[in-house]
Amino acid sequence: MSIILDHINYIYGEDTTTPVHALKDICLQIQDGEFVGIIGHTGSGKSTLMQHLNGLVRATGGHIYYNGEDIYDRDYDMKKLRSKVGLVFQYPEHQLFEIDVFSDVCFGPKNLGLDRKETELRAYDALRKVGLPNELFYQSPFELSGGQKRRVAIAGVLAMKPEVLILDEPTAGLDPKGRDEILQQVKKLQTETGMTILLVSHSMEDVAEYVDRIIVMNDGSVLLEGAPRDVFSHYEELEAVGLAAPQVTYILNEFRKNGLDVDTSAITIGEAAQEIARALHR
Amino acid sequence: MSIIKTKNLTFEYIRRDEEGNVEGITTAVDDVTLNVRAGEFIAILGHNGSGKSTLAKHINAILHPTEGTVWVDGRDTSDESQVWEIRQTAGMVFQNPDNQIIGQVVEEDVGFGPENMGVPTQEIWERVAESLRAVGMYQYRKSSPNKLSGGQKQRVSIAGVLAMHPKCIILDEPTAMLDPNGRREVIRAVRGLNDVEKITVVLITHYMEETIHADRIFVMESGRVAMEGTPKEIFSQVERLKELRLDVPQVTLLAHELKGRGLRLPDGILTTQELVEAMKRNGYL
């Protein structure tokens, strides 16, 4: 069970004088239950790639296999794919519209044609999974804080019981605590339910802390791919394409230059502190 | 000399339900008294809903105080006849660059402000050129804003405000939607304006790293100023900031962790450079 992208190309405006080759020959495999981070500067093709995974955008070349089936097959059930691969857009709280939180989360499962009882069970379950307190369920979604609204929007997608959850910059505009809370909930979803998570992010620190694997996009192609510590060890290449490694990577490299025998592959504060303490024999 | 001054500033708004019945009153800014001197670089931190943006919108008279007074360069913002003067003195840059750019060509967009102020044509062009140079976007003056990256667009927005020759610029999370490179470009441009042009800057942000060069930081909580001080003073209080749903820069946090492991290090280290020097001084490097 996995998602396989086989030589995916996407060109838009092909019939105009300025066609854009947005995705260039992408080959990737995403395993069941993986937590994958996708990084890249603005315009590198991250979001376009994500929109291919649930069939919102159709590749102009190549194939996508979801659990072994080609989603571009003529008799493939695209609607089912969209309920299996949930996509949370940037600023998803702009899509909230119902009079209360609970009805908003019910909207998705209701449209799947589920009966009322199942719909409500799922909505309740989804809201619990994102850690929204019960007393907010019957409030207007517009009265919640930024972080709470965003959780409601994520719950709306979770209520569809997706197997894969794609989050496009879920923490943009949130305060630091709000960022941590959302990402911890997402991590918990992965570990507790085995859901596959794809996280598009501009924050290297967040990606370093939570994901199993990183895919670096640049100019429509995959530039680097691998475990966070491997990818961030190429920090000079990342800088060349407008990205960076987490700040601790730079600190450790600076320490090393100054003669401390540290392993520079640590990517979180905790790991780095431990590694420095080890090098100092403390 | 004071450029922004508030005295007992309070802003309340009435919440209404669907039928328009009053549900309650929210106090978004609660009795804030502060004073910003001309040429200062001020950063405002605070979690979502702490009142940062509401406070900022008072500085260029988008909002008017329910109680208390705000003076911008000596002008009372609740005096209707002064509104245009105030908005020229204190320009505002918002989060989403796409909502602020209206011109088809970069230089046209930047010229929009001075044109509306009735500046003579020749001078408009001079202002456009100098503003674009100040943010490092002069070579893109003939480009379409649609072709620019987020960081470049945001710098064009800043140039648009600069062309009105403000004494003060307020930036409300200008980097929230940008990638690391774009963030760096914008912050560098803003620091340049403050250092070189001596423009007063009020920067609202959720990224702690962007505030380490500020002269002073205000931390907002429930509409009040909960903490005030230099970056060093503020970021020395790691635990207090966490209570306020905030964070400290990564270097500061690492230094804090190392201290917890028994290393002798000062509080409030803000840059990699400082950490390396402190480590050397104490014989760790």
Side-chain angles (χ1 to χ4, degrees), chain B residues 1-13:
Chain B
M1 203 191 80
S2 153
I3 179 110
I4 301 163
K5 202 170 152 190
T6 72
K7 188 161 177 264
N8 306 110
L9 166 62
T10 299
F11 181 76
E12 291 172 342
Y13 60 90

Side-chain angles (χ1 to χ4, degrees), chain A residues 40-42 91 99 143 146-147 172-179 181 202 204-205 242-244 246-248 250-251 254-255 258 260 269-270 272-274 276-277 280 282, chain B residues 18 23 46-48 95 150 173 176-181 183-184 206-209 242 245-247 249-251 253-254 257-258 261-263 272 275-276 279-280 284-285:
Chain A
H41 66 81
T42 320
Y91 294 84
I99 53 165
E143 281 173 7
L174 295 186
D175 58 49
K177 185 83 182 296
R179 291 205 278 262
E181 283 171 358
H202 279 324
M204 304 305 138
E205 284 76 18
L243 298 171
Q247 214 185 346
V248 285
Y250 297 95
I251 300 171
E254 201 56 38
F255 281 11
N258 280 283
L260 187 66
I269 301 277
Q274 201 171 356
I276 293 164
L280 290 167
R282 298 184 77 95
Chain B
E18 306 254 297
E23 278 191 331
H47 62 77
N48 294 110
Q95 195 181 94
E173 293 189 45
M177 302 182 77
L178 307 181
D179 57 28
N181 223 16
R183 274 203 313 257
R184 240 188 333 260
H206 283 316
Y207 292 103
M208 306 300 136
E209 281 79 8
K242 292 216 159 146
R245 298 179 59 91
L246 297 172
D247 217 342
Q250 285 225 311
V251 195
L253 198 58
L254 180 63
E257 285 271 321
L258 290 173
R261 287 170 188 266
L263 267 67
T272 306
L275 179 59
V276 169
M279 295 275 286
K280 278 185 184 160
Y284 299 123
L285 288 180

Side-chain angles (χ1 to χ4, degrees), chain A residues 98 100-110 119 122-124 126-127 151-153 155-157 159-160:
Chain A
E98 276 281 10
D100 63 53
V101 165
F102 196 75
S103 326
D104 204 285
V105 178
C106 284
F107 182 78
K110 204 162 78 190
T119 301
R122 282 189 177 198
Y124 183 75
L127 282 165
R151 275 191 261 173
V152 172
V157 174
M160 317 266 286

Side-chain angles (χ1 to χ4, degrees), chain B residues 194-206:
Chain B
N194 182 252
D195 283 348
V196 182
E197 321 271 332
K198 306 293 175 212
I199 293 174
T200 310
V201 170
V202 177
L203 173 70
I204 298 175
T205 183
H206 283 316

Side-chain angles (χ1 to χ4, degrees), chain B residues 116-136:
Chain B
N116 274 290
M117 288 161 56
V119 173
T121 312
Q122 186 53 40
E123 196 189 330
I124 294 178
W125 288 113
E126 285 163 15
R127 287 189 182 201
V128 167
E130 91 195 357
S131 305
L132 283 170
R133 280 201 186 96
V135 296

